[in-house]
Amino acid sequence: MKCAWIYGADQLMIDYHDKEWGRPLHDERGLFELLCLEGLQAGLSWKIVLNKRKFLREAFDNFEVEKISQYTPDDVEKLLIDPKIIRNKRKIEAIINNAKIVNALHERNESLDSFFWGIIDNQPIINNFKNPEEIPTKTKLSEQISKTLKKMGFKFVGPTIIYSFMEASGMVNDHLVGCYGRN
């Protein structure tokens, strides 16, 4: 059995469910990429983001924080004319802004991994939902994290985006009861 949202999906979505979604992610670059992708998804479907992920990685220097934090307005303009990526100026500028904040964290010997996973004592939150309707789009915890990130200066980190990030990064395991992805 798999999660209900995967039935009827294409192979890309199935592979994402089976190999990535809900698996604990501690890789710093991977966490930054996922945070960026979740922000890019706002108003779009995850399928669109997954279909463009390869091109987004190419366009955004494989989501290397140090490189992105050095982007200039000229880089933004180049990204805005790239038809292979999601071309939303506010979202692109948010990625650059967020890279600068993460870079500053790194300079203080802090990390996204310790920030996010420290909030939940490095233990995934395991939910026991049996039906997709039970899964929330945001929680008090995602609201709290969103507020903290916004105070730090992050952009495109609303509570719904953060909850989706938490699910995708494995901080929260929302695989339905009976789905083999729970293991």
Side-chain angles (χ1 to χ4, degrees):
M1 180 178 153
K2 294 185 182 188
C3 293
W5 61 266
I6 206 65
Y7 289 102
D10 66 10
Q11 193 60 48
L12 185 65
M13 289 291 284
I14 292 168
D15 288 345
Y16 176 71
H17 170 271
D18 292 353
K19 298 174 185 172
E20 295 181 59
W21 190 71
R23 304 292 188 278
L25 177 63
H26 292 278
D27 174 70
E28 194 70 7
R29 192 212 57 79
L31 287 167
F32 179 69
E33 175 183 322
L34 187 57
L35 189 62
C36 293
L37 296 178
E38 292 291 351
L40 286 167
Q41 180 193 357
L44 303 171
S45 73
W46 188 245
K47 182 177 177 177
I48 289 170
V49 174
L50 277 184
N51 281 321
K52 292 184 177 282
R53 181 165 62 172
K54 173 187 173 203
F55 304 113
L56 289 162
R57 285 175 174 161
E58 291 170 5
F60 285 97
D61 289 304
N62 201 35
F63 292 98
E64 297 290 338
V65 169
E66 291 169 12
K67 289 180 182 178
I68 296 172
S69 68
Q70 302 301 314
Y71 282 12
T72 66
D74 287 342
D75 293 311
V76 172
E77 292 306 315
K78 287 177 190 170
L79 290 165
L80 286 171
I81 61 170
D82 185 343
K84 296 179 287 188
I85 69 167
I86 296 164
R87 297 177 289 170
N88 178 302
K89 188 173 185 176
R90 288 181 53 233
K91 291 177 182 181
I92 290 169
E93 289 174 339
I95 289 171
I96 297 165
N97 172 77
N98 295 350
K100 290 176 182 181
I101 295 167
V102 174
N103 199 42
L105 283 174
H106 292 167
E107 289 173 357
R108 294 190 308 265
N109 291 320
E110 298 173 21
S111 68
L112 288 175
D113 182 57
S114 61
F115 172 79
F116 284 113
W117 285 90
I119 291 169
I120 58 170
D121 295 325
N122 293 305
Q123 293 296 315
I125 297 166
I126 311 293
N127 289 319
N128 293 304
F129 301 125
K130 294 179 182 169
N131 301 300
E133 300 81 27
E134 296 175 79
I135 301 173
T137 57
K138 63 182 179 178
T139 61
K140 288 186 189 284
L141 182 57
S142 74
E143 290 172 351
Q144 173 192 336
I145 294 169
S146 172
K147 283 182 186 177
T148 301
L149 289 169
K150 287 177 182 179
K151 283 181 185 174
M152 294 168 70
F154 282 87
K155 307 278 186 214
F156 274 88
V157 290
T160 301
I161 289 171
I162 293 304
Y163 192 73
S164 184
F165 170 84
M166 293 169 68
E167 289 176 306
S169 68
M171 290 176 64
V172 173
N173 188 330
D174 275 349
H175 283 278
L176 297 177
V177 171
C179 176
Y180 64 84
R182 289 178 60 83
N183 301 327

